[in-house]
Amino acid sequence: SGLPELHSIQAGSYAFKKTPFFSLTNLPHLQSISLGYCTLYRCQCIELENLPELQSIHLGTCALFGDDSSCRE
């Protein structure tokens, strides 16, 4: 990965809205993920892999809300 020393990720409200796919992989020092209100709203697939130091994930209201296929355009 291009960010091997990354320790935390904080995404504010409405970040990555309607992003169909989101992936965090091979981040050996990542310890925390914090997603604000409606972050990754309507995301269809999320991949979290090889994050050996991950200790916490904080989800704001409606973060990772998901995708209802009947609402897709």
Side-chain angles (χ1 to χ4, degrees):
S1 173
L3 301 169
E5 298 302 318
L6 185 67
H7 291 273
S8 67
I9 292 175
Q10 294 183 344
S13 297
Y14 298 101
F16 310 111
K17 187 176 179 185
K18 295 185 180 179
T19 298
F21 180 78
F22 186 79
S23 177
L24 292 175
T25 60
N26 302 316
L27 297 167
H29 297 290
L30 185 67
Q31 296 176 353
S32 65
I33 300 169
S34 179
L35 304 178
Y37 179 80
C38 287
T39 299
L40 291 167
Y41 185 84
R42 300 270 188 226
C43 189
Q44 297 169 17
C45 183
I46 297 170
E47 176 183 43
L48 303 174
E49 187 174 278
N50 195 19
L51 307 171
E53 298 291 321
L54 187 62
Q55 297 175 11
S56 67
I57 298 174
H58 171 78
L59 301 177
T61 303
C62 294
L64 304 179
F65 187 75
D67 181 28
D68 180 351
S69 62
S70 65
C71 292
R72 285 189 220 154
E73 295 177 20

